[in-house]
Amino acid sequence: MKKKILIIDDEVNIGLLLSKFLTRNDFDVVSAITGNSALEKMTSQKFDLVLCDYRLEDTDGKEILIKIKEQYPSTGVIIITGYSDIKLAVELIKLGAYDYITKPLYPDEILNTINKALESQNVINKSSESKNHIEPSSVYGNYTEYIDGESDVAKNLLKQIELIASTSYSIILTGKSGTGKECVAKAIHLNSLRRDQPFVAMDCGSLTKELAGSEFFGHEKGSFTGALYTKIGHFEQANGGTLFLDEIGNLSYEIQATLLRTVQERKVKRIGSTKEIDLDVRIIVATNENLSENIIKGTFREDLFHRFNEFSIHLPSLKHRGNDILIFANKFLTVANAELNKNIKGFSPGVEKSILNYGWPGNVRELKNVIRRLALLTNGSEIQENVLPLELSNYDHFNESNEKNLKQVAETHAPKNLKNAAQEAEYKAILSVLKQVNYNKTKAAEILKINRKTLYNKMKAIELGE
């Protein structure tokens, strides 16, 4: 059956040319010259796609887009604009437009964009209509250790994964290091229509500008000095499946520009090759940075951000997950038992208390490593307090004594003038960071961007000691 397209353009000649061109390419085309008449046509006919000029006589493309997405969410929308304004384009995509095309119009570009939009909508619609439900235990496989739980946070995370997995939307995963972003990405892939295709993970934090092109796109043998063999890039490896880009905020601005073109056009060309390879890749990116702040600083492209940000999931720190911490701890203990050929049943009440009270700055990754260490040191059937590392066993006492110090410092250094007020702000900043990293002075110095000696001197000045 022919796909049905609605063209909305108040320039009659352009609308007529578009209509003839798309009809020749086997589409069923209907035209409208005003926004209101277009919306009336949509009440009586079902359209697969709408091609809408941004500036109309009675309204604009933004208003039309909002109304279509509210009333006909399964209909794709492409905006045509003669104003090559990247901020406007980004806003339209954020509101739900599949893409935008700038005037003058080129037939190949129009046809290519329409076909991609229809393909994308087809995948989404099939997903929403599918009645096959797979139980999380089978879908998430070995990744439940970072995902499930009984807290509201865990339930919300599962709902988001199940909601977005069956679409082809690009996703941004945010959260601190060690919260399990790659495991969530794998869970999304395993619960998607692409589950039988490759899942390829790439660490952008380790990429240099010289290596990035080869890693992303691949290269042909002899294409540059040292290219002794043909290399398939990560995009090509993930074709048909999911590409996971970790630490996306670390990419240089130049690499981001190259990446944007690939994400937009869904084509890749190996270095040294003239052949373009069509891509069908779902992209999931992860970061522990605030990309919105990076955009303001000028270190991350806003247009690339919105290409990725069709959906976002935030992974909370472990300390915000309540009793889920013990669920994770027991899962990790089961794994450790298998690794060490032991049969440890669980944790003593004192150990459970310490596990729940500790701040876990390294999040789930730190918890996993600690449980493995505790299992290694335990010979009986229960993990006891005597094998706890100092940071856990002393945590309550450490916090209590330092809370007292905080109170004393606040009273001693109450600001009496502008200089004192500045000092007080500095003291509060230092103490806040010390609490955040469980009084690990090396980590605190790194966060505060001062050396350890300076930190010790400042701690001594506020009578916190060494």
Side-chain angles (χ1 to χ4, degrees):
M1 184 181 293
K2 291 182 179 181
K3 295 292 183 180
K4 197 165 188 176
I5 297 177
L6 173 61
I7 297 172
I8 313 172
D9 198 319
D10 55 10
E11 294 186 46
V12 178
N13 290 336
I14 290 179
L16 186 60
L17 286 171
L18 272 174
S19 179
K20 287 182 176 179
F21 170 71
L22 294 176
T23 300
R24 284 199 305 270
N25 281 276
D26 208 28
F27 292 106
D28 184 2
V29 183
V30 175
S31 297
I33 59 173
T34 66
N36 287 331
S37 64
L39 292 172
E40 284 179 14
K41 291 178 188 294
M42 293 189 75
T43 60
S44 58
Q45 303 177 61
K46 186 178 183 334
F47 293 94
D48 298 289
L49 187 70
V50 174
L51 223 59
C52 180
D53 190 34
Y54 182 74
R55 294 188 181 272
L56 298 169
E57 194 174 299
D58 60 338
T59 182
D60 61 38
K62 179 179 174 181
E63 293 301 318
I64 290 290
L65 172 65
I66 291 170
K67 288 176 181 177
I68 291 174
K69 285 300 169 184
E70 284 177 352
Q71 299 174 41
Y72 313 100
S74 64
T75 302
V77 180
I78 296 172
I79 301 293
I80 301 171
T81 176
Y83 303 85
S84 189
D85 183 344
I86 191 62
K87 288 186 178 178
L88 170 63
V90 163
E91 184 182 5
L92 294 171
I93 290 171
K94 197 173 180 181
L95 287 169
Y98 173 79
D99 210 339
Y100 65 95
I101 304 172
T102 55
K103 295 177 181 178
L105 303 176
Y106 298 100
D108 288 346
E109 180 188 5
I110 295 169
L111 196 57
N112 186 41
T113 305
I114 286 173
N115 285 331
K116 286 181 178 178
L118 289 170
E119 182 182 347
S120 174
Q121 286 301 124
N122 189 43
V123 170
I124 293 169
N125 293 341
K126 280 184 178 177
S127 302
S128 62
E129 291 166 5
S130 174
K131 295 181 180 178
N132 296 326
H133 178 73
I134 302 173
E135 290 301 317
S137 58
S138 62
V139 170
Y140 304 136
N142 295 328
Y143 310 117
T144 52
E145 62 190 29
Y146 287 87
I147 296 169
D148 66 6
E150 297 175 355
S151 67
D152 289 340
V153 170
K155 291 172 183 174
N156 184 50
L157 179 58
L158 280 170
K159 283 180 182 176
Q160 290 184 81
I161 291 172
E162 291 177 348
L163 172 69
I164 197 63
S166 59
T167 75
S168 286
Y169 284 12
S170 296
I171 304 167
I172 296 180
L173 303 177
T174 60
K176 293 185 177 179
S177 294
T179 49
K181 294 186 285 294
E182 183 171 349
C183 286
V184 170
K186 287 177 180 175
I188 291 170
H189 173 74
L190 287 172
N191 200 15
S192 75
L193 299 174
R194 301 171 182 267
R195 67 178 70 92
D196 297 325
Q197 300 300 319
F199 175 91
V200 177
M202 184 176 182
D203 181 9
C204 299
S206 61
L207 278 182
T208 63
K209 187 163 63 175
E210 293 74 24
L211 281 176
S214 178
E215 291 297 315
F216 275 125
F217 316 121
H219 62 254
E220 296 292 342
K221 181 180 178 180
S223 57
F224 55 85
T225 304
L228 303 178
Y229 54 89
T230 296
K231 176 184 175 67
I232 297 176
H234 284 76
F235 270 98
E236 198 175 341
Q237 290 175 37
N239 210 357
T242 302
L243 178 61
F244 173 65
L245 303 177
D246 199 9
E247 303 302 343
I248 193 72
N250 290 340
L251 289 177
S252 71
Y253 209 78
E254 294 82 1
I255 297 173
Q256 291 174 37
T258 309
L259 189 59
L260 175 65
R261 184 177 177 185
T262 303
V263 173
Q264 283 178 328
E265 298 181 1
R266 298 287 168 166
K267 291 180 183 292
V268 69
K269 190 190 297 181
R270 294 180 197 163
I271 296 172
S273 173
T274 58
K275 180 184 176 183
E276 284 192 328
I277 300 167
D278 290 329
L279 292 176
D280 174 23
V281 178
R282 196 224 192 114
I283 299 174
I284 302 177
V285 304
T287 180
N288 59 13
E289 300 180 25
N290 187 325
L291 293 183
S292 296
E293 289 183 2
N294 289 0
I295 290 169
I296 295 170
K297 293 175 187 173
T299 59
F300 200 85
R301 294 182 64 107
E302 185 175 7
D303 44 7
L304 183 60
F305 171 77
H306 288 297
R307 286 286 178 184
F308 289 147
N309 195 34
E310 292 180 321
F311 196 82
S312 62
I313 299 176
H314 179 71
L315 278 68
S317 298
L318 185 59
K319 65 183 178 182
H320 297 310
R321 298 200 55 169
N323 286 331
D324 286 351
I325 297 173
L326 287 180
I327 293 175
F328 294 150
N330 280 290
K331 284 179 179 291
F332 294 142
L333 180 58
T334 300
V335 174
N337 275 330
E339 289 175 347
L340 301 170
N341 196 25
K342 291 188 174 185
N343 190 27
I344 303 169
K345 303 295 184 184
F347 310 94
S348 72
V351 172
E352 286 191 350
K353 181 181 177 184
S354 293
I355 289 173
L356 286 171
N357 288 345
Y358 182 59
W360 300 109
N363 292 295
V364 184
R365 187 180 295 130
E366 181 185 10
L367 174 62
K368 184 175 185 177
N369 291 336
V370 167
I371 299 303
R372 293 178 75 207
R373 187 161 71 241
L374 296 180
L376 179 64
L377 296 171
T378 297
N379 293 319
S381 61
E382 189 176 70
I383 294 176
Q384 301 290 335
E385 291 173 72
N386 64 320
V387 296
L388 285 174
L390 286 175
E391 61 264 29
L392 264 74
S393 58
N394 291 341
Y395 187 69
D396 288 340
H397 171 72
F398 216 29
N399 265 358
E400 186 178 339
S401 61
N402 279 295
E403 287 293 340
K404 290 179 181 178
N405 279 345
L406 285 176
K407 188 175 180 181
Q408 290 172 359
V409 167
E411 293 171 353
T412 304
H413 296 281
K416 299 177 181 64
N417 53 45
L418 190 59
K419 182 179 179 181
N420 284 351
Q423 288 176 335
E424 174 68 8
E426 183 180 86
Y427 297 150
K428 284 182 177 179
I430 291 170
L431 290 167
S432 173
V433 171
L434 284 168
K435 285 184 67 179
Q436 180 185 331
V437 298
N438 304 316
Y439 298 88
N440 182 314
K441 300 177 189 66
T442 301
K443 288 182 181 178
E446 288 175 0
I447 293 172
L448 291 165
K449 294 184 171 28
I450 58 178
N451 59 44
R452 284 170 59 97
K453 184 176 179 181
T454 302
L455 177 61
Y456 285 141
N457 290 338
K458 291 183 179 293
M459 288 175 65
K460 190 174 181 181
I462 59 176
E463 300 170 2
L464 191 57
E466 297 185 4

